[in-house]
């Protein structure tokens, strides 16, 4: 059966009333899970597993996939409205999305997030349908050395988010890296910085840091503003929808974000978060007004949101084509596959095309459903901003508590989150940037472990880091990324000097 | 007369048949009764990993199989942290009525000497029943020049002569059940190696497929998709006998390296040591009964797990032996001092 | 002034982290780099950023014109600081009671007290929210999604 016929057959599977219902249920539950800060799609799908024991495997997988990308949609809503990223892939959205809300453009932000996610999801699914098997091969070429270079590149990208004070940005990054070192070290088996507390053995969950710094910190800051007499409610300015101008500015970021998201998703490991970082930084570099990023630029929402949805399709590539899970969520999905006695792998495309294409086609359907669900809800969600702060802010605190509690079923994490919350409040007042902290927490662990694994493999020789085309390319890219502001400033200064000396043209 | 004796004979045989039937029903009823161990309250099983992981799935499958046996619902709670330290602490400090139990793996034993040293020990708990064994397998990518364990050892020795070491991708740090398993083999074969630690087969497999490490070690279950699709070659399984999901894979002994195969990941159920003895026996019986159910057997089959089905005495003895071996190795590697 | 305090805080942080890092034993296990290398690097990075910040402050002081003063904000006042501290204390209390009292009761209590602390007049609305929201969330999460949330004192 040709691939095209298989895709069509998949639609006949995914469009049955039962499967449509499961797609819808998955998307709805996923949105709820995504909105709740702390409870992520991995845990959500894990909790669905027992319910699905008795279901038809295709339907069960459709529902779980629905939850996965539904969570991506949900996460962006709280990021934009209350600066509370619902999960890892929504952190970058909060940077400019929340500022857009403060500028009265919450409706536009939510709309571009929904539309961008839909377009990106569609592009991702098409790419998945066509490229799954060959792409999986490329993913394998990434070994520990290549991963380290990739992380270095991503960290170099993070360095462009430091804001006005390089020193403060650097410290924030260092702090994030330090948090990432807490826990049992995978290479040596030794516990680091755990102070004999067993709950710290497995490290500090990145979501605890995010919810603490962003959400709780924001609430405390908001309460302070309120107590200073600022009881104004955020007004919505202009239309609830995107202006033509905003739409025009968003198309590029959406397309670029989709590409980045999908291809990064294919590589096992932190696909969503890293692809959103790369997308945000790319848009900032390409923009004519990079200094305005962080104050409410729509590109900063369109890009990352598209990237994180496209990455959910990307992570399906190693899962379906090889049976390798690339993230915590796909690991749970793989567990589900095994539970049903289904072997993912290239054979799956031949032996169970109904399952594979039924699943993939349900993703098209699910994406469409989420768009239809979310767009009208934009008006409703925006009304959340009208809730008086005295009620909204404590509500957010309560939601933070549940969200963080459900990560590990422990109050210890909530105490940690509170601590980070107070820290986040203090940092806001001291003008220390928060994004580098969170991003360093995500990247730091993999970066260190990959570096040490690579050295162990090469028996101590650093040559392994320049032994493959991929690592060399990434190292050069990282270098360029780091030096770009310096090069740009140098070129600008030389150009100014040549203009001042008048006449005599200086080379470059 | 004949007709009368015939009819009375028939009546007698009719009565006999009915009596027999009644006895049969009673016996069957009693037999059916013996297949359940009814409890008074719902049971709670505590998993030490997050929802969706392999051990979490095991707990949920057990819960499903236990419900018809104990005639009560089974609740699953996830209490991750400290490789089981948090779960064990909560069981030690929790109720002793026997309605809250946990699932343990072999790795729990090592925790007594690392994270929970001085705080928890094996005797704090009652090890009620051993459920499953998860052996270890070694695998390479399909176009690797290594075709057997002998080839692997040859490569290791070759590398050693060049001043390098064999790169083994495995789960968890040195000192874990996984790394000790390879250490046992490496000692037998007399080869040095680098243990490249990953967090699970999701990370080991790409490293093996891409040729970044020479060989990978994992449990058979997660490897099935890759093995069945022919992307990897499984060299050997560390078990006394071949396993059904990999019928063509020799055991280490068959491949020329007889090792002590008691070292494998085992999983079982444990609880607070102060649970009343008769309750402990009841629980052991219930768990072992659940392990005979069709749903449990089907799960074990497709996850490539081997049934252990040991009662409390046997399981406790096994764990004691494993802990001894483990501690010995941790000394050798240098992870613990005294 | 505040910036100097930041430098001091950064230096203190560096010292603490470096001290803990030095306590990490280095055994000859695992990779060639060892578990102490990366944390040491981070400590160096922290120290560097403290120095850099000191440099930035010094350079800013030497600049001719002082930076434009930030727009004056209405004062927070002692009462405000107490209220803010009160919210943090309430949240801490919330964490303490959520397992024994159960999610619904603890959340209801927290919401009621916290909202009313911020705005005494609307206590009736607060009562409604305090009862409605936890019940709705609990129903959604604990019953629909079967997320384990502490039931505490309530029977469901």
């Amino acid at each position: 059966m040709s691939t095209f016929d298989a895709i069509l057959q998949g639609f006949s599977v995914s469009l049955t009333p039962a499967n449509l219902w499961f797609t819808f249920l998955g998307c709805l539950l996923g949105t709820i899970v995504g909105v709740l800060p702390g409870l992520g799609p991995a845990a959500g799908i894990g909790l669905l597993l027992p319910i699905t024991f008795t279901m038809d495997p295709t339907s069960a997988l459709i529902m779980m996939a629905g939850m996965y990308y539904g969570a991506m949609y949900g996460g962006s809503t709280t990021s934009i409205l209350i600066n509370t990223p619902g999960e890892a892939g929504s952190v970058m959205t909060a940077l400019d999305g929340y500022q857009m809300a403060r500028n009265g453009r919450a409706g536009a932000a939510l709309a571009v997030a929904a539309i961008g996610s839909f377009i990106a999801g569609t592009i991702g699914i098409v790419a998945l349908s066509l490229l799954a098997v060959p792409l999986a091969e490329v993913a394998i070429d990434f070994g520990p050395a290549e991963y380290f270079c990739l992380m270095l590149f991503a960290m170099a990208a993070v360095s462009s988010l430091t804001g006005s004070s390089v020193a403060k940005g650097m410290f924030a990054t260092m702090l994030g890296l330090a948090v990432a070192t807490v826990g049992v070290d995978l290479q040596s088996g030794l516990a680091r910085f755990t102070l004999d507390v067993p709950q710290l053995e497995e490290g500090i969950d990145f979501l605890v840091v995010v919810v603490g710094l962003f959400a709780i910190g924001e609430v405390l800051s908001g309460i302070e503003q309120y107590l200073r007499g600022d009881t104004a409610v955020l007004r919505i300015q202009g239309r609830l929808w995107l202006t033509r101008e905003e739409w025009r500015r968003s198309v590029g970021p959406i397309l670029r974000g989709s590409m980045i998201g999908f291809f990064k998703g294919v590589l096992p490991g932190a696909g969503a978060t890293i692809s959103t970082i790369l997308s945000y930084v790319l848009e900032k570099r390409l923009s004519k007004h990079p200094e305005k990023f962080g104050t409410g630029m729509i590109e900063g929402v369109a890009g990352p949101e598209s990237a994180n949805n496209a990455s959910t399709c990307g992570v399906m590539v190693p899962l379906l084509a090889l049976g390798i899970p690339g993230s915590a969520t796909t690991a749970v999905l793989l567990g589900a596959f095994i539970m049903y006695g289904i072997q993912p792998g290239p054979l799956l495309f031949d032996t169970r095309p109904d399952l594979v294409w039924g699943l993939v086609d349900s993703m098209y359907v699910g994406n469409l459903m989420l768009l239809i669900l979310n767009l009208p809800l934009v008006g409703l969600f925006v009304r959340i901003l009208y809730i008086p702060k005295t009620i909204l802010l404590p509500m957010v605190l309560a939601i933070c508590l549940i969200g963080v509690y459900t990560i590990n079923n422990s109050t210890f994490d909530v105490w940690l989150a509170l601590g980070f919350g107070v820290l986040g409040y203090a940092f806001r007042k001291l003008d220390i940037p928060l994004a580098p902290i969170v991003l360093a927490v995500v990247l730091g662990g993999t970066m260190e472990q990959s570096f040490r694994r690579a050295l162990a493999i090469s028996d101590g020789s650093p040559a392994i880091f320049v032994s493959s085309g991929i690592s060399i390319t990434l190292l050069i890219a990282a270098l360029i990324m780091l030096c770009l502001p310096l090069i740009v400033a140098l070129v600008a200064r030389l150009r100014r000097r040549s203009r001042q000396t008048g006449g005599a043209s200086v080379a470059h | 007369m004949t007709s009368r004796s015939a009819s009375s004979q028939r009546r007698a045989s009719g009565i006999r048949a009915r009596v027999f039937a009644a006895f049969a029903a009673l016996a069957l009823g009693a037999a059916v009764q013996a297949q359940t161990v009814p409890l008074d309250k719902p049971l709670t099983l505590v998993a030490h990993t997050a929802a969706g992981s392999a051990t979490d799935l095991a707990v949920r499958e057990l819960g499903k199989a236990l419900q018809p046996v104990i005639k009560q619902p089974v609740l699953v709670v996830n209490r991750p942290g400290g490789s089981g330290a948090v779960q064990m602490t909560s069981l030690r400090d929790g109720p002793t009525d026997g309605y809250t139990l946990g699932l343990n793996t072999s790795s729990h034993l090592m925790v007594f000497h690392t994270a929970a040293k001085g705080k928890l020990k094996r005797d704090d708990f009652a090890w009620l029943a051993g459920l499953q064994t998860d052996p270890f397998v070694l695998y390479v990518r399909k176009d690797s020049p290594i075709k057997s364990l002998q080839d692997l050892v040859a490569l290791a020795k070759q590398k050693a002569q060049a001043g390098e070491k064999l790169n083994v991708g495995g789960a968890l740090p040195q000192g874990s059940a996984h790394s000790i398993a390879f250490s046992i083999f490496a000692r037998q074969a007399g080869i040095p190696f680098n243990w490249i630690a990953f967090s699970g087969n999701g990370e080991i497999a790409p490293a093996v497929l891409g040729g970044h490490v020479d060989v990978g070690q994992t449990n058979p279950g997660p490897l099935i998709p890759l093995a069945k699709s022919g992307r990897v070659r499984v060299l050997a399984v560390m078990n006394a006998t071949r396993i059904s999901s990999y019928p063509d894979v020799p055991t280490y002994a068959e491949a020329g390296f007889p090792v002590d195969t008691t070292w494998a990941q085992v999983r079982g159920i444990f609880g607070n040591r102060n649970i009343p003895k008769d309750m402990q026996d009841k629980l052991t019986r219930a768990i072992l009964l659940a392990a005979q159910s069709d749903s449990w057997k089907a799960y074990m089959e497709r996850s490539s797990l081997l049934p252990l089905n040991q009662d409390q005495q046997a399981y406790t003895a096994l764990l004691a032996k494993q802990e001894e071996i483990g501690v010995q190795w941790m000394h050798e590697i240098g992870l613990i001092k005294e | 002034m505040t910036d100097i305090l930041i430098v001091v805080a950064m230096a203190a942080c560096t010292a603490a982290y470096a001290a803990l890092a030095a306590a990490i034993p280095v055994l000859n296990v695992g990779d060639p780099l060892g578990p102490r290398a990366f944390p040491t690097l981070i400590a160096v990075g922290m120290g560097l950023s403290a120095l850099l910040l000191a440099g930035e402050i010094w350079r800013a002081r030497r600049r001719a014109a002082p930076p434009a003063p930030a727009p004056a904000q209405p004062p927070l006042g002692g009462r405000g600081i107490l209220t803010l501290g009160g919210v943090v204390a309430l949240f801490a209390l919330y964490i303490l009671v959520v397992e024994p009292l159960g999610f619904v009761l603890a959340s209801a209590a927290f919401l009621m007290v916290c909202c009313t602390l911020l705005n005494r007049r609307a206590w009736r609305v607060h009562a409604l929210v305090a009862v409605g929201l936890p019940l709705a969330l609990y129903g959604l999460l604990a019953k629909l999604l079967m997320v384990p949330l502490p039931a505490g004192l309530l029977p469901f």
Side-chain angles (χ1 to χ4, degrees), chain B residues 15 26 34 155 163 165 275 277 294 323 338:
Chain B
I15 295 173
L26 246 143
L155 177 67
K165 292 196 212 157
I275 300 175
K277 197 68 179 64
D294 292 330
E323 187 174 1
E338 104 294 340

Side-chain angles (χ1 to χ4, degrees), chain A residues 279-339:
Chain A
S279 167
Y280 186 85
V281 170
L282 179 69
E283 295 311 319
K284 187 172 175 184
R285 296 255 186 238
L286 289 177
S287 158
K288 297 203 184 13
H289 303 280
E291 71 287 350
K292 287 214 197 135
F293 269 72
T295 62
M297 295 289 274
I298 199 165
E299 293 89 338
V301 178
E305 271 304 305
S306 312
N308 80 19
N309 266 72
S311 76
T312 61
C313 303
V315 298
M316 292 294 193
V317 169
L319 179 68
L320 292 175
L322 292 174
I324 296 177
S327 66
T329 317
T330 38
V332 180
L333 279 174
L334 181 65
F337 270 100
I338 295 183
M339 199 174 79

